[in-house]
Amino acid sequence: MDCYILLGLARGASPAEIKRAYRRLARRYHPDINPGDRESEAFFRQIVSAYETLIDPGRRREYDAGMIRSTDRATEPAFEFQGFDFSQNLGFRDAATVNELFAEVFTPPAGAWTRPEDGADLHANLTISFGDAMAGGERRVTVTRLERCTACRGGGQLKAPDAMCPHCTGTGSVRWTRHHMVFTKNCAPCAGTGRQQSRACPACAGEGVSVRSEAVPVQIPAGVADGARLRIPGKGHVGRRAGRPGDLHVAITVEPHPLFHREGDDLRVVVPVAIHEAALGAKIDVPTIDGPARLRMPPGTQSGQRLRLRDRGAPSPRDGTRGDLIVEVKLVLPRVIDERSKELLREFGRINAENVRKNLGV
Ligand SMILES: [Zn+2]
Ligand SMILES: [Zn+2]
């Protein structure tokens, strides 16, 4: 890169003109004005290097004699700034940022040579019965997902017969003129070779993906709870241009059961009990998710009391251990219609005369 062209100076420019040119360019391309813009930073380094070469009389003499180069090759950006072209009388606009100015140089055209993209996650809902939630098993969720294009196997490109690159007409580099500045850059589609190496896949327009409906198998762990979310890795949208696929997230809804209510991994069931069973104690049959089970009820069981059947609750989806079945006793009074029952209850009352409301102070 020629120091004079870079700074927009004539060969015989005076030190004052060199300083003025440097200040003018620094105001526009200083990294502090364009934070995070690596290209303008690299360009600014070239400007600094050119300025330092020309402002030092000794170095300038050496440079003019062709003994030194101004720019450090290692820090040069991927494009090369070719200098100012004042044949176009556009004038500098102070509002023009480096990003605007360089947009054509640094924004690659949409197409095959841009980088792969990660695929997006997909979300689906699945409603299952209470019994299926307890048993677990495989279900299928139908989703419409971006799949890898089969024609190009996701790469978006097909091998092309050897031919001239149409983007650079075989030269291997592309030229831009923006305002007064002229740039050249390696032609990206052919990587500077000037030959066409591949073409965009016509089936997917170079995106590497196609839309497909798919029934994805979902393994439901036994004991899955209502509101649980299952993640199926890699079953989201596939990434463009062979990028990493996203995940499928399945939100589980478990239908309520008429008898069992879930409390953590425990299940609760309300069981009606006759008055004599509660008073005298009894062995009663209670429903569980595995079928009827025998429960021993101690004498003097109160209405609303909770009894526990170990390991008869829901399986834990984490470790497979089971919660308990909580049996909530509900006392059911008989419909007393016959004289004999009434007589027995009166006698029962006489024998058990204790005031059951004594704690209420009445
Ligand atoms: Zn394709
Ligand atoms: Zn090319």
Side-chain angles (χ1 to χ4, degrees), residues 297-313:
M297 198 169 49
T301 297
Q302 298 286 348
S303 192
Q305 198 170 327
R306 290 177 160 212
L307 305 168
R308 202 172 269 269
L309 267 177
R310 295 267 166 223
D311 302 330
R312 291 303 193 113

Side-chain angles (χ1 to χ4, degrees), residues 1-9 21-22 24-26 28-29 43 47 81-88 91-92 101-102 175-183:
M1 184 67 246
D2 186 286
C3 290
Y4 293 99
I5 294 174
L6 189 62
L7 296 180
L9 293 167
Y22 170 72
R24 181 169 55 84
L25 291 165
R28 218 173 299 268
Y29 301 115
F43 181 42
I47 293 169
F81 179 62
Q82 295 283 294
F84 295 97
D85 174 2
F86 289 101
S87 63
Q88 295 180 69
F92 278 107
L101 215 52
F102 286 50
R175 202 179 140 92
W176 279 269
T177 306
R178 291 295 283 160
H179 304 280
H180 293 302
M181 295 190 274
V182 183
F183 303 89

Side-chain angles (χ1 to χ4, degrees), residues 123-127 140-143 229 248-253:
H123 297 268
N125 297 307
L126 179 61
T127 300
R140 281 172 187 273
V141 177
T142 301
V143 290
R229 287 177 178 277
L248 171 62
H249 300 269
V250 181
I252 302 288
T253 301

Side-chain angles (χ1 to χ4, degrees), residues 165-174 187-195:
C165 171
H167 295 273
C168 59
T169 60
T171 61
S173 63
V174 206
C187 175
C190 66
T193 61
R195 309 302 295 171

Side-chain angles (χ1 to χ4, degrees), residues 63-85:
Y63 179 77
D64 289 344
M67 291 158 70
I68 56 165
R69 297 182 52 82
S70 72
T71 51
D72 173 14
R73 280 272 147 203
T75 61
E76 263 186 36
F79 71 96
E80 202 168 340
F81 179 62
Q82 295 283 294
F84 295 97
D85 174 2

Side-chain angles (χ1 to χ4, degrees), residues 74-191:
T75 61
E76 263 186 36
F79 71 96
E80 202 168 340
F81 179 62
Q82 295 283 294
F84 295 97
D85 174 2
F86 289 101
S87 63
Q88 295 180 69
N89 189 23
L90 293 170
F92 278 107
R93 288 181 300 139
D94 283 335
T97 65
V98 166
N99 281 338
E100 256 173 50
L101 215 52
F102 286 50
E104 283 181 19
V105 184
F106 297 114
T107 309
W113 52 90
T114 51
R115 267 176 288 159
E117 270 172 34
D118 284 355
D121 286 354
L122 259 175
H123 297 268
N125 297 307
L126 179 61
T127 300
I128 56 176
S129 71
F130 188 88
D132 286 350
M134 291 301 114
E138 186 181 296
R139 292 290 289 271
R140 281 172 187 273
V141 177
T142 301
V143 290
T144 302
R145 48 192 296 264
L146 289 176
E147 246 301 345
R148 192 145 292 182
C149 171
T150 47
C152 61
R153 290 207 293 269
Q157 294 289 295
L158 296 178
K159 274 251 173 273
D162 193 42
M164 190 185 76
C165 171
H167 295 273
C168 59
T169 60
T171 61
S173 63
V174 206
R175 202 179 140 92
W176 279 269
T177 306
R178 291 295 283 160
H179 304 280
H180 293 302
M181 295 190 274
V182 183
F183 303 89
T184 58
K185 186 183 161 193
N186 260 13
C187 175
C190 66

